[in-house]
Amino acid sequence: MQFIYNYKLFNQGLQINFMDQNFLSNTSSRKDEHLKICIENDVKYENVSTGFNNYIMMPNLLTKISPEDIDLSTTFLGKSMDSPLLIAGMTGGTEKGKAMNKIIAKICAEYNIGMGIGSQRAAIENPSLIDSFQVRDIAESIPLLANLGIAQFTSGYSVKEAEQAIEMINADGLAIHINPLQEFIQYDGNKNLANVQQNLIDLVGESKSPIIVKGVGTGFSNEDMKFLSSLNVAAIDLAGAGGTNWKKIEIFRNPSLTNLSTSLINWGIPTADCLVNAVGVISDSSKKIIASGGIWNGTDAVKALMLGADYVAFALPALLAISKDSEEGLRKFINNYIFEMKIVLTMLGITNLEELRKKKNLLMRKTPH
Ligand SMILES: Cc1cc2nc3c(=O)[nH]c(=O)nc-3n(C[C@H](O)[C@H](O)[C@H](O)COP(=O)(O)O)c2cc1C
């Protein structure tokens, strides 16, 4: 309840002048602004679905198993997880971000699933913000991902800051988010991304810790995935289109962008298509595929796993669950998500993730009528 109360205060007390450059350019205020925009507005894609509705799973009415038989356990970055799920990185750097990270960490520890935190750039710039990202005391044994943007590396960060981010939260790996479209339309975005490939080669080559490369909701092209799979990355988090749309979030931050066409705003590779492409391109099974981008329920999560994802991640659904009913809201959401996964697997007659990988024939692509 404390968190909801904070949000009420937040909403009443913060008058955002969208043209106030100082406010908008401050790294941590911008993170709170993102939370507020996502809670108060529809920031999802319009007329672009994740593509999972193009697939049907074959229900097995004569199933011989029951939901209690289902074992969703797996491992990630050397840590065991009870379900192949992660809450993707969103926040930190402010009091609200700190409260939210603590709620997420508590629930992830309860369900023994993975967690990412939001970009730690604010804490690298201002160490007094470090504690808003630290959750290890709450979630001692879950896979925990640090987070920085590639745009920081194209403008000067090196493996030194990468290690700083990992050590800051005692993480198991570092997620590097890549969001050029957002940077290009953001008036205060970093437009100098020319060295992005070399920066990734250097970072992955020099880092002693696992590096996860992630999108933020536009999906990676085949060319991108070929390049990424040539690097020694631990995982690629697809963040395809159909869920959170960062072009829309940027428009809420800067109304002068309303002139952008709906074609550009809704441009992205639907998550399911992006996943099928990734499975075709990434042949090395040690490079894990995290499916994300609009995977709002356990049924679509099982489809993603059947299409070849190793893990499923989501961000906005967790934020909205928390804004609705704080810790209890997130607990209910995760509980239902896992319940749904178990029901679906029971109906498919599949008891664990290893079996699931062998039974891809239970998933059919719908034929267009
Ligand atoms: C409020 C909010 C803040 C986010 N901040 C970050 C961030 O700091 N770093 C990052 O890598 N991704 C960030 N993301 C992107 C998510 O991690 C995720 O990749 C994306 O939202 C797609 O998943 P979804 O459709 O389930 O939300 C953020 C998402 C939301 C909703």
Side-chain angles (χ1 to χ4, degrees):
M1 294 312 280
Q2 180 65 33
F3 193 66
I4 292 175
Y5 179 62
N6 283 344
Y7 261 103
K8 284 199 183 126
L9 277 182
F10 185 30
N11 293 337
Q12 286 159 9
L14 187 63
Q15 296 297 317
I16 298 177
N17 173 357
F18 280 99
M19 302 320 285
D20 179 343
Q21 309 276 309
N22 289 331
F23 175 71
L24 293 179
S25 63
N26 179 297
T27 307
S28 40
S29 314
R30 185 167 53 208
K31 294 302 288 173
D32 267 0
E33 207 184 337
H34 288 155
L35 294 181
K36 183 172 160 65
I37 289 169
C38 289
I39 289 169
E40 293 180 353
N41 302 279
D42 179 358
V43 294
K44 296 203 284 297
Y45 274 82
E46 282 152 36
N47 301 321
V48 176
S49 87
T50 55
F52 289 108
N53 53 353
N54 293 325
Y55 293 88
I56 314 173
M57 293 177 285
M58 297 293 116
N60 182 349
L61 304 193
L62 305 180
T63 185
K64 293 186 189 126
I65 57 173
S66 72
E68 297 86 71
D69 299 327
I70 309 296
D71 174 10
L72 290 172
S73 65
T74 185
T75 57
F76 183 41
L77 304 175
K79 298 271 174 78
S80 68
M81 295 203 280
D82 289 352
S83 303
L85 301 175
L86 294 111
I87 299 188
M90 282 185 279
T91 193
T94 62
E95 281 306 308
K96 287 162 200 82
K98 178 175 168 179
M100 195 167 133
N101 277 336
K102 286 190 187 308
I103 290 174
I104 295 175
K106 184 168 181 210
I107 301 299
C108 286
E110 243 173 75
Y111 286 89
N112 193 26
I113 60 173
M115 169 180 179
I117 54 164
S119 171
Q120 287 158 270
R121 176 185 170 192
I124 302 255
E125 286 171 4
N126 176 1
S128 72
L129 303 175
I130 285 176
D131 75 329
S132 65
F133 294 93
Q134 290 172 322
V135 293
R136 211 23 135 189
D137 54 329
I138 303 172
E140 283 173 13
S141 57
I142 64 165
L144 179 64
L145 300 181
N147 190 296
L148 285 172
I150 193 64
Q152 274 67 70
F153 291 83
T154 59
S155 36
Y157 280 21
S158 66
V159 72
K160 177 174 154 265
E161 285 79 10
E163 275 163 12
Q164 218 176 315
I166 293 168
E167 278 163 26
M168 185 191 292
I169 63 161
N170 194 5
D172 300 292
L174 171 66
I176 298 288
H177 64 264
I178 307 189
N179 55 350
L181 191 46
Q182 186 191 349
E183 296 284 351
F184 292 147
I185 65 171
Q186 219 176 327
Y187 78 85
D188 53 353
N190 181 349
K191 314 280 186 288
N192 174 23
L193 301 175
N195 281 333
V196 59
Q197 295 201 359
Q198 191 55 49
N199 287 129
L200 280 169
I201 294 171
D202 293 345
L203 176 63
V204 175
E206 290 167 29
S207 172
K208 288 188 227 82
S209 306
I211 301 290
I212 294 91
V213 176
K214 80 183 279 290
V216 296
T218 308
F220 288 105
S221 71
N222 276 11
E223 285 304 307
D224 290 338
M225 283 187 292
K226 271 185 209 153
F227 172 75
L228 294 175
S229 64
S230 73
L231 306 180
N232 190 22
V233 294
I236 300 175
D237 179 345
L238 305 176
T244 306
N245 183 341
W246 277 93
K247 281 86 74 189
K248 279 176 89 175
I249 296 172
E250 287 310 328
I251 292 169
F252 282 113
R253 289 185 64 224
N254 180 0
S256 70
L257 292 174
T258 43
N259 291 335
L260 292 178
S261 72
T262 51
S263 306
L264 179 65
I265 295 166
N266 290 296
W267 185 23
I269 309 171
T271 302
D273 298 325
C274 193
L275 174 56
V276 170
N277 292 343
V279 171
V281 170
I282 302 164
S283 51
D284 172 359
S285 64
S286 71
K287 291 184 184 21
K288 302 298 178 193
I289 300 176
I290 304 173
S292 71
I295 308 187
W296 277 68
N297 57 66
T299 305
D300 284 349
V302 173
K303 288 184 184 178
L305 296 168
M306 291 191 98
L307 284 171
D310 295 287
Y311 315 99
V312 170
F314 47 83
L316 186 63
L319 170 62
L320 297 186
I322 294 170
S323 77
K324 205 166 141 203
D325 195 10
S326 191
E327 181 185 312
E328 191 49 28
L330 185 58
R331 183 177 290 111
K332 277 188 198 145
F333 178 80
I334 301 286
N335 202 52
N336 194 55
Y337 203 99
I338 294 171
F339 173 77
E340 206 167 299
M341 288 176 83
K342 290 189 173 177
I343 296 292
V344 171
L345 286 172
T346 307
M347 287 298 294
L348 295 172
I350 294 173
T351 51
N352 59 52
L353 298 181
E354 208 176 315
E355 253 180 63
L356 182 145
R357 284 188 191 103
K358 294 180 195 144
K359 295 215 176 158
K360 291 185 178 157
N361 59 334
L362 293 179
L363 186 70
M364 257 180 45
R365 197 177 160 90
K366 277 190 214 165
T367 42
H369 296 291

